[in-house]
Structures are given as structure tokens and as C-alpha cells.
Amino acid sequence: MTYDVVSVQADGMIKDVIDHIRSTQHDGFPVLRGNKVVGYISARDIIGVHPSVRIEQIMSRHLIVADPDMSITDAARVIFRSGIQKLPVVNEQNELVGIISNADVIRSQIEHVSPEKVYNFMSTLKKLYGIEPTLERGNVPVDRLRPTQGKIFQDELEGRIYEIKKGLAEPVIVVKRAGKWIMVDGHHRAIAAKRLGIKNLDAYIIVIDDDIELGLERTAESMKLHSLDDIQVMDYARHPLVAITHRLVPHD
């Protein structure tokens, strides 16, 4: 997060925005009234607008913002799902604390990719079943993946489609046992890949040679999940993470 944020005042003029764009090379700025965030204005908002027009007349008032305690991973999800370039960070009083850019997120996600989650799951398998699974990194066939999650969110799916197109998606996590590909994590990514016509997906593959039935498989069977087509896409409800970050700034 950048703490030294360039901002503009709501009662300022478009000329001020133009001057800031020229001096900073930034393409947008949070709009404040006093020290509280009331909007956002970007370079595209001011195209064709006279320099003497007040900022508050054309600024965007429907904001998506982040809480200071939000993890960078969650902030990344909000940015990718929403398609925004800058995510203002505000406190409970709606005061500007900092800003996160999509470039910040890209750097953080490159550093974030780690098999730690995989090793934790493997450790759980060892304790539950007394087995010694091994780990591989490779591609898995999308059309043979067996899901273990019955529902996903449409807005998160759109974010995963965006990530895959931009080459930013993390690997899925899959168990390979007896010729089966059982999903552990990454259902949104798998559906996104399927919709994009991608046949193989990058994955951490946990290989189990033992002849045992995992709890994941029993869960999938009980939910009648056999292929990605059995997953329900919840297109009528927004994901809670995005919902809590939307703040409607009231019009004066």
C-alpha cells in the first residue's frame, strides 16, 4: 500500500486534476472533502470536460474501498473482480489511509504464490490416513476434474477469468488417486478455464498411491458432484468480500 497518496478536493476544479496528471503521471485520484473520501476521479472522466468545472460534479461517487486490516490477497481479489486500477484504503471514519494499485497487487501475488497450503493439506492427510503422499507440479485435464465444492460465485468467477487471461492465476490443488483427479482448491479457476476453452490447468498435484477413499471423495459423492458441470454458479448474489467493501457515498 502507498501511504503518500496524491488526492484532490471535491470543491476543486478539473484544472487541478489535469495539473496533477501532468505532474505525477497518475491516471486517477481519490476525491476528498476535508480529509474524508467522497469520490474518485480518473483521466477518462475528464475527457471533454471544461477545466473550470468542479470536480464534485463529475467524480465517481460509487466507490469500492479497502479496510486497512484487509489482507493483500483479499485486496487483490477485489481489484481483479471489480476491474478497477486503484483501491483506496479508508478507516472507519472514511478517512483516506492509503491506496493500492493493480501493479502493487501483481507484485504481491507473484511473491505470494507458495505451496504452503499444499504442504498443510498433505500433513493433514498423513495424520488422518497414515499415508505418505508425494507432491508434483504439472498440468491437469480440466474435463476430468472432480469437484468437491457445489457452489461458486459469479463475480469471483469473472475475476478468475480475468486472472487467467492476464497470466496471473495461481495453480489449483488436486489429489491424484487411482487415475482420478480430485479437486482440493481452485474451483473458480477450474470453471474459468473451462469457460475459456482451456484443456489443461497448472496445478499442485498431490499423488496418493494407497488404495483408500478420501473424505473429499465421500463429500463429492454425497453432493452428487462428478464433473465441473455439476457446480452451481451463484449469479444472483455478490460475494461477501466484495459486498462489504462497497460504500455508497451520499450525494450532497
Side-chain angles (χ1 to χ4, degrees):
M1 177 174 71
T2 300
Y3 290 91
D4 186 14
V5 183
V6 179
S7 60
V8 294
Q9 288 293 318
D11 60 359
M13 296 185 296
I14 296 304
K15 180 182 180 300
D16 301 327
V17 179
I18 295 172
D19 291 341
H20 280 316
I21 291 175
R22 286 173 175 168
S23 63
T24 67
Q25 302 301 309
H26 295 172
D27 59 0
F29 310 95
V31 181
L32 309 183
R33 181 168 284 112
N35 61 350
K36 296 186 183 296
V37 178
V38 294
Y40 191 87
I41 191 163
S42 66
R44 66 186 175 200
D45 294 328
I46 67 174
I47 296 175
V49 179
H50 194 277
S52 64
V53 172
R54 290 202 177 277
I55 293 171
E56 60 191 343
Q57 291 181 250
I58 64 168
M59 67 184 185
S60 298
R61 296 173 182 267
H62 187 193
L63 299 180
I64 301 176
V65 298
D67 183 273
D69 295 328
M70 181 181 287
S71 71
I72 188 63
T73 299
D74 287 345
R77 288 171 177 160
V78 171
I79 285 177
F80 289 140
R81 289 173 195 157
S82 306
I84 59 177
Q85 294 187 347
K86 302 284 177 58
L87 182 66
V89 181
V90 302
N91 61 21
E92 292 182 357
Q93 289 74 44
N94 219 40
E95 297 169 334
L96 185 64
V97 176
I99 199 164
I100 301 172
S101 70
N102 51 8
D104 295 330
V105 164
I106 290 171
R107 285 193 292 269
S108 72
Q109 292 303 289
I110 290 173
E111 296 172 356
H112 178 263
V113 175
S114 167
E116 179 182 0
K117 185 186 299 184
V118 184
Y119 289 126
N120 289 339
F121 182 73
M122 291 174 67
S123 177
T124 299
L125 290 178
K126 291 178 184 180
K127 292 176 181 178
L128 287 176
Y129 302 102
I131 58 176
E132 292 293 332
T134 58
L135 179 62
E136 299 177 358
R137 177 72 179 269
N139 291 323
V140 294
V142 173
D143 62 352
R144 293 182 60 190
L145 293 174
R146 183 172 194 183
T148 56
Q149 177 178 321
K151 299 177 181 179
I152 63 172
F153 291 96
Q154 177 66 33
D155 61 333
E156 184 165 352
L157 175 59
E158 292 168 359
R160 292 297 179 261
I161 289 174
Y162 175 89
E163 290 174 5
I164 290 176
K165 286 181 176 179
K166 296 295 183 180
L168 301 174
E170 294 185 8
V172 298
I173 303 175
V174 174
V175 168
K176 183 181 181 182
R177 187 191 74 79
K180 302 175 183 177
W181 304 89
I182 307 156
M183 295 209 65
V184 177
D185 182 75
H187 288 76
H188 286 85
R189 277 161 280 173
I191 294 293
K194 183 178 177 64
R195 290 198 175 184
L196 290 171
I198 296 172
K199 301 299 183 184
N200 295 289
L201 198 57
D202 184 27
Y204 290 116
I205 305 170
I206 301 170
V207 181
I208 298 177
D209 294 326
D210 304 78
D211 186 19
I212 59 170
E213 183 183 36
L214 301 179
L216 282 172
E217 295 176 89
R218 291 192 292 272
T219 297
E221 190 65 33
S222 66
M223 297 176 67
K224 295 181 172 54
L225 300 174
H226 302 284
S227 73
L228 296 179
D229 292 332
D230 297 323
I231 295 178
Q232 182 181 2
V233 179
M234 308 290 284
D235 59 358
Y236 58 86
R238 294 195 56 80
H239 193 285
L241 177 62
V242 175
I244 63 173
T245 60
H246 272 273
R247 296 190 185 179
L248 290 173
V249 178
H251 294 260
D252 295 332

